[in-house]
Amino acid sequence: MMIAAFAKDKAEITFKTTEHDFGYIKEDGGSVSCEFEFTNTGNKPLIIIEAVASCGCTSPEYPKRPIAPGKSGVITVYYNPIGRPGGFKKDVK
Protein backbone atom coordinates (compact mmCIF):
# COMPACT_ATOMS: atom_id res chain seq x y z
CA MET A 1 0.00 0.00 0.00
CA MET A 2 1.31 3.48 -0.88
CA ILE A 3 -0.02 6.66 0.65
CA ALA A 4 0.87 10.07 -0.75
CA ALA A 5 0.38 13.24 1.22
CA PHE A 6 0.50 16.69 -0.27
CA ALA A 7 0.71 19.91 1.69
CA LYS A 8 -2.37 22.01 0.99
CA ASP A 9 -1.35 24.75 3.38
CA LYS A 10 1.78 26.47 2.13
CA ALA A 11 3.28 29.78 1.09
CA GLU A 12 3.76 30.33 -2.62
CA ILE A 13 5.68 33.15 -4.29
CA THR A 14 4.47 34.54 -7.61
CA PHE A 15 6.56 37.19 -9.36
CA LYS A 16 5.18 39.84 -11.74
CA THR A 17 8.36 39.34 -13.80
CA THR A 18 11.51 37.30 -13.32
CA GLU A 19 13.86 39.13 -15.71
CA HIS A 20 15.08 42.69 -16.17
CA ASP A 21 17.04 44.27 -19.03
CA PHE A 22 19.05 47.30 -17.95
CA GLY A 23 19.74 48.12 -21.57
CA TYR A 24 22.92 50.11 -22.13
CA ILE A 25 24.55 51.45 -18.97
CA LYS A 26 27.87 53.22 -18.57
CA GLU A 27 30.60 51.44 -16.66
CA ASP A 28 31.48 54.63 -14.78
CA GLY A 29 27.84 55.63 -14.22
CA GLY A 30 27.60 54.01 -10.80
CA SER A 31 25.31 51.30 -9.50
CA VAL A 32 21.93 50.56 -11.05
CA SER A 33 19.00 48.71 -9.53
CA CYS A 34 15.70 47.09 -10.38
CA GLU A 35 12.78 45.77 -8.36
CA PHE A 36 11.09 42.40 -8.63
CA GLU A 37 7.57 42.58 -7.22
CA PHE A 38 5.97 39.42 -5.87
CA THR A 39 2.83 38.26 -4.11
CA ASN A 40 2.34 35.45 -1.62
CA THR A 41 -0.33 33.48 -3.49
CA GLY A 42 -0.34 30.70 -0.90
CA ASN A 43 -2.31 30.47 2.32
CA LYS A 44 0.55 30.54 4.85
CA PRO A 45 3.08 33.31 5.60
CA LEU A 46 5.98 33.48 3.13
CA ILE A 47 9.44 33.67 4.69
CA ILE A 48 12.39 34.44 2.44
CA ILE A 49 15.45 32.97 4.13
CA GLU A 50 18.03 34.34 1.69
CA ALA A 51 18.58 35.71 -1.80
CA VAL A 52 21.95 35.00 -3.41
CA ALA A 53 23.55 36.63 -6.45
CA SER A 54 25.75 34.80 -8.95
CA CYS A 55 28.69 37.17 -8.28
CA GLY A 56 29.85 39.98 -6.01
CA CYS A 57 28.95 42.77 -8.46
CA THR A 58 25.26 42.02 -7.91
CA SER A 59 23.51 42.23 -4.55
CA PRO A 60 19.88 41.51 -3.66
CA GLU A 61 17.89 43.10 -0.85
CA TYR A 62 14.79 41.24 0.30
CA PRO A 63 12.10 41.50 3.01
CA LYS A 64 13.21 40.01 6.33
CA ARG A 65 9.69 39.78 7.80
CA PRO A 66 7.09 37.19 6.76
CA ILE A 67 4.77 38.17 3.91
CA ALA A 68 1.15 37.34 4.78
CA PRO A 69 -1.05 35.44 2.30
CA GLY A 70 -2.34 37.80 -0.39
CA LYS A 71 0.24 40.47 0.45
CA SER A 72 3.04 41.68 -1.80
CA GLY A 73 6.71 42.50 -1.44
CA VAL A 74 9.75 43.56 -3.42
CA ILE A 75 13.22 42.15 -3.95
CA THR A 76 15.58 44.92 -5.06
CA VAL A 77 18.67 43.92 -7.02
CA TYR A 78 21.69 46.24 -7.31
CA TYR A 79 24.38 45.90 -9.98
CA ASN A 80 27.72 47.74 -9.89
CA PRO A 81 29.22 47.97 -13.42
CA ILE A 82 32.55 49.56 -12.42
CA GLY A 83 35.42 47.45 -13.76
CA ARG A 84 33.02 45.24 -15.75
CA PRO A 85 32.88 46.43 -19.37
CA GLY A 86 30.76 44.63 -21.96
CA GLY A 87 27.57 42.62 -21.78
CA PHE A 88 26.50 40.69 -18.71
CA LYS A 89 23.90 38.29 -17.42
CA LYS A 90 23.52 37.78 -13.68
CA ASP A 91 21.28 35.49 -11.67
CA VAL A 92 19.71 35.96 -8.25
CA LYS A 93 18.25 32.94 -6.52
Side-chain angles (χ1 to χ4, degrees):
M1 174 196 257
M2 186 166 108
I3 298 174
F6 297 96
K8 293 180 185 178
D9 294 331
K10 64 180 181 174
E12 188 169 337
I13 192 167
T14 302
F15 285 92
K16 278 190 171 182
T17 182
T18 58
E19 294 185 11
H20 177 78
D21 184 349
F22 282 111
Y24 179 80
I25 57 174
K26 291 185 175 190
E27 180 183 352
D28 62 355
S31 291
V32 291
S33 65
C34 65
E35 293 183 340
F36 293 93
E37 295 179 44
F38 65 87
T39 301
N40 178 1
T41 54
N43 55 12
K44 292 288 184 184
L46 172 68
I47 300 170
I48 300 175
I49 297 171
E50 71 177 335
V52 180
S54 60
C55 78
C57 61
T58 306
S59 60
E61 190 175 277
Y62 58 94
K64 306 298 190 268
R65 294 179 177 255
I67 307 297
K71 298 297 182 182
S72 298
V74 172
I75 295 175
T76 304
V77 178
Y78 300 92
Y79 173 71
N80 185 350
I82 294 176
R84 296 172 181 85
F88 66 92
K89 181 177 181 175
K90 304 297 176 188
D91 295 318
V92 175
K93 298 180 182 198

